Amino acid sequence: MEFRHLRCFVVLAEELHFGRAAQRLSMTQPPLSLNIQQLETSVGARLFERNSRGVALTAAGQAFLPRAQALLQQAAQAAREARDVGHGIVGQLRIGFAGTVLFRGLPQVLRAFGAAHPRMRLTLQELSSSEQLVELVHDRLDLGFVHTTRVPPGFSQNLLSRQPFVACLPVGHRLSRGPALDLRELQGEAMAIVMRAVSSDYHDRIVAACADAGFEPQLAYELRHWLGVVAVIGQGLAAGLVPAALQQAGLSGVAFRPLKRSLPSYDTYCLWRTGRDMTALGAFLDAVRGRAQSMQDAGMHDDGNEES
């Protein structure tokens, strides 16, 4: 039994006339009759009565018709879904992201992609850069937004954004006001920092920057998320160096100051497995590149905000 047999059967059952059915199927009557005979042989029952008055469904044909129609509808639906997935219209993308990306490009990418592909389902997981690398390698994520240049073999990356570090201090702290801060002024201060296990790149860069300034930082609080770092500082417990985009987080009790001598920038990369055959992934990467280009064209202030 083949789908062409089912199509011939359903059209003939609807027309109950070989001539009209053959015309709808863009064939002549002899091949239509042959298809019906082959189907009846496959089913093992006569599906039509043929006589001088015309064509009529047998009891077996009446029982077979709704099931044949359902099979054809399911096949058509399967073909539509496969075509839509192939064109990147429907499907799912599993996306990992580090929390600070919510303040630096990711919402704009999601809005642009969602407007162009409203039937795509996006599953987002907030994970550290290290956790994302593990999930990407094991194909549990389709792409991730990470703050590391450590790209595993077989993966590609695209720079989304670049931002400076700024000093973060409790409101009312002796260093919370004034122009650019000299990093040496933080010597002796209890400091909050993101855990090395979470972001080894930037944990090490902050420690190295303090060493270059002539002191070893007093790491009183090591936390999993940058927002946690800012929250601890807002409670008056420490000072810290954080990505500039966190000024947009709206947490109370903190003040931010630029640094006289900049640390290496805090970079966000989109990371994915090279050569993955996913049309939707390609469309999403187009949205990432579009956002990255618009941010580059707009230019950035030292505080990480886009110029107006």
Side-chain angles (χ1 to χ4, degrees):
M1 184 186 306
E2 300 178 20
F3 279 107
R4 61 185 175 87
H5 296 146
L6 296 179
R7 283 193 292 271
C8 290
F9 167 74
V10 168
V11 171
L12 183 57
E14 292 171 351
E15 296 291 345
L16 294 177
H17 188 282
F18 271 92
R20 291 193 299 270
Q23 187 175 12
R24 277 183 57 185
L25 292 163
S26 300
M27 63 173 58
T28 60
Q29 292 187 40
L32 173 58
S33 297
L34 179 60
N35 275 280
I36 297 300
Q37 291 170 11
Q38 291 172 339
L39 178 61
E40 289 177 328
T41 299
S42 177
V43 172
R46 289 184 61 81
L47 302 174
F48 293 98
E49 292 289 353
R50 306 164 182 81
N51 53 48
S52 58
R53 292 174 296 176
V55 181
L57 282 167
T58 64
Q62 291 175 357
F64 189 64
L65 179 58
R67 290 167 175 78
Q69 290 171 325
L71 285 171
L72 290 175
Q73 291 170 358
Q74 290 171 10
Q77 178 64 24
R80 284 194 297 271
E81 290 180 358
R83 183 171 58 252
D84 288 348
V85 170
H87 293 164
I89 298 173
V90 298
Q92 177 177 335
L93 282 176
R94 302 161 299 172
I95 301 169
F97 69 97
T100 54
V101 189
L102 290 174
F103 307 105
R104 192 68 166 183
L106 181 57
Q108 294 84 353
V109 171
L110 295 177
R111 281 195 290 269
F113 181 78
H117 303 275
R119 296 173 61 192
M120 281 294 303
R121 180 186 174 198
L122 302 180
T123 303
L124 278 75
Q125 298 182 56
E126 183 180 1
L127 300 166
S128 70
S129 295
S130 299
E131 291 168 336
Q132 288 184 67
L133 293 178
V134 173
E135 297 300 292
L136 286 162
V137 167
H138 288 89
D139 287 324
R140 292 190 288 262
L141 288 176
D142 297 310
L143 71 158
F145 289 92
V146 300
H147 302 300
T148 178
T149 57
R150 292 179 290 117
V151 180
F155 281 80
S156 300
Q157 64 179 356
N158 192 89
L159 178 66
L160 173 63
S161 70
R162 177 163 284 160
Q163 60 183 301
F165 275 89
V166 295
C168 182
L169 301 151
V171 168
H173 189 280
R174 63 183 179 84
L175 299 174
S176 63
R177 293 177 176 273
L181 182 77
D182 189 317
L183 191 55
R184 290 174 295 183
E185 296 180 74
L186 293 178
Q187 183 171 1
E189 296 285 341
M191 293 185 66
I193 193 171
V194 72
M195 293 172 60
R196 191 177 191 281
V198 171
S199 182
S200 60
D201 301 56
Y202 292 102
H203 181 284
D204 291 349
R205 289 186 190 184
I206 290 172
V207 172
C210 293
D212 288 343
F215 70 96
E216 181 179 349
Q218 297 181 18
L219 303 181
Y221 301 93
E222 299 192 41
L223 300 108
R224 286 186 54 81
H225 300 284
W226 286 109
L227 283 174
V229 171
V230 177
V232 164
I233 295 170
Q235 295 300 315
L237 298 172
L241 301 170
V242 303
L246 288 172
Q247 295 173 88
Q248 303 172 39
L251 295 180
S252 61
V254 292
F256 299 92
R257 288 182 61 187
L259 298 171
K260 284 184 178 179
R261 182 178 178 184
S262 298
L263 276 69
S265 60
Y266 189 72
D267 300 338
T268 300
Y269 291 91
C270 183
L271 190 64
W272 70 96
R273 188 178 290 281
T274 305
R276 168 158 288 186
D277 182 20
M278 289 182 65
T279 304
L281 176 60
F284 193 88
L285 292 173
D286 286 342
V288 171
R289 295 184 184 106
R291 178 56 187 169
Q293 186 62 52
S294 67
M295 294 172 77
Q296 180 180 334
D297 292 343
M300 298 292 162
H301 289 301
D302 288 341
D303 61 4
N305 294 321
E306 294 184 21
E307 294 178 353
S308 57

